[in-house]
Amino acid sequence: MLRGVALLAAPLAVVCAAPASAAPVFFTDLTAFQSALAAASGATQTEGFETHPLSEDLTANPSSANGITVSSDAGPFSDLRSVITVGNGTVVVDVLTRLNGSSITFAFATPINAFGIDIFDLGTQNTPTTLRLIIASGSQDLFAGFTGTDNNRQFGGVIDTETAFTSVTFTNSTLNDRVAMDDLRYGRTGLPAPAPEPGALVLLATALAGLCLGGRRWRA
């Protein structure tokens, strides 16, 4: 009897054991982001927002094109507008942070697991600010207590090789800190195969139990 239990338990232990989930990795350096992407056999597309409809209020009128929707909770203090050349184009996402902070969200029609974007003019109000990046599987303060000079250029990104996501949100903490974003990079890396469904495990357990009982009868 004990031998039959052992025969049943061992295969189940192999099937049920799952690798620990890897946490998302956040980036503030474009070169490091690109190196990690290449190591994970990933590739990205670039969105410059040139074909997005312009909007003077991304809360009331989110802007959608090419499978990407841009929205914000900053009301008329958020827009997608034409400017003097910033990044690689003339259209940027622009948010003026309101009291208690503001956010900007990029939503994707198709799940991705790699995201990066250029960030301009962060922390120029002579008050340290905190910019946080949030996805479904985790979040991180990319820049904490940050102050910058006019026209400074930063980078924010994330790669999650375990879990795809469909939205990315940035929050900024400092009142009147106007931040622009452009040159969005997004795509997929190689995702792991899904874990066995619970129903499949039950069927496997039943089959293994049958083999064990059959073995006992044969020996009898």
Side-chain angles (χ1 to χ4, degrees):
M1 177 65 178
L2 289 176
R3 183 179 178 186
V5 172
L7 288 171
L8 173 63
L12 280 178
V14 173
V15 173
C16 294
S21 295
V25 179
F26 296 87
F27 299 87
T28 56
D29 180 81
L30 174 58
T31 300
F33 172 80
Q34 292 173 327
S35 296
L37 190 68
S41 302
T44 59
Q45 303 176 62
T46 299
E47 175 60 60
F49 307 110
E50 304 298 321
T51 61
H52 272 69
L54 301 183
S55 172
E56 295 183 352
D57 184 336
L58 287 170
T59 302
N61 299 299
S63 178
S64 297
N66 307 320
I68 303 172
T69 298
V70 186
S71 62
S72 175
D73 64 359
F77 298 96
S78 61
D79 52 46
L80 198 151
R81 63 192 178 98
S82 296
V83 295
I84 298 173
T85 302
V86 171
N88 291 322
T90 58
V91 176
V92 299
V93 178
D94 183 74
V95 177
L96 179 66
T97 305
R98 308 313 301 144
L99 187 65
N100 299 320
S102 295
S103 68
I104 187 80
T105 296
F106 302 89
F108 297 85
T110 301
I112 62 172
N113 66 344
F115 172 99
I117 198 165
D118 291 339
I119 304 161
F120 301 88
D121 277 351
L122 178 66
T124 57
Q125 294 301 305
N126 297 318
T127 300
T129 195
T130 296
L131 186 76
R132 189 170 187 83
L133 190 160
I134 305 165
I135 60 174
S137 56
S139 62
Q140 183 168 300
D141 291 341
L142 298 182
F143 301 93
F146 180 88
T147 56
T149 57
D150 288 346
N151 301 315
N152 74 81
R153 181 173 185 165
Q154 310 300 325
F155 176 81
V158 60
I159 295 175
D160 190 336
T161 56
E162 292 290 330
T163 306
F165 48 87
T166 56
S167 70
V168 177
T169 297
F170 288 89
T171 61
N172 193 16
S173 65
T174 296
L175 178 66
N176 293 331
D177 190 25
R178 181 179 292 278
V179 175
M181 296 184 177
D182 197 11
D183 301 332
L184 166 62
R185 305 158 184 86
Y186 66 99
R188 292 287 291 265
T189 68
L191 289 168
E197 294 291 332
L201 293 177
V202 171
L203 289 174
L204 178 59
T206 303
L208 290 172
L211 287 173
C212 292
L213 291 173
R216 288 181 61 196
R217 293 194 185 97
W218 180 81
R219 287 194 299 274

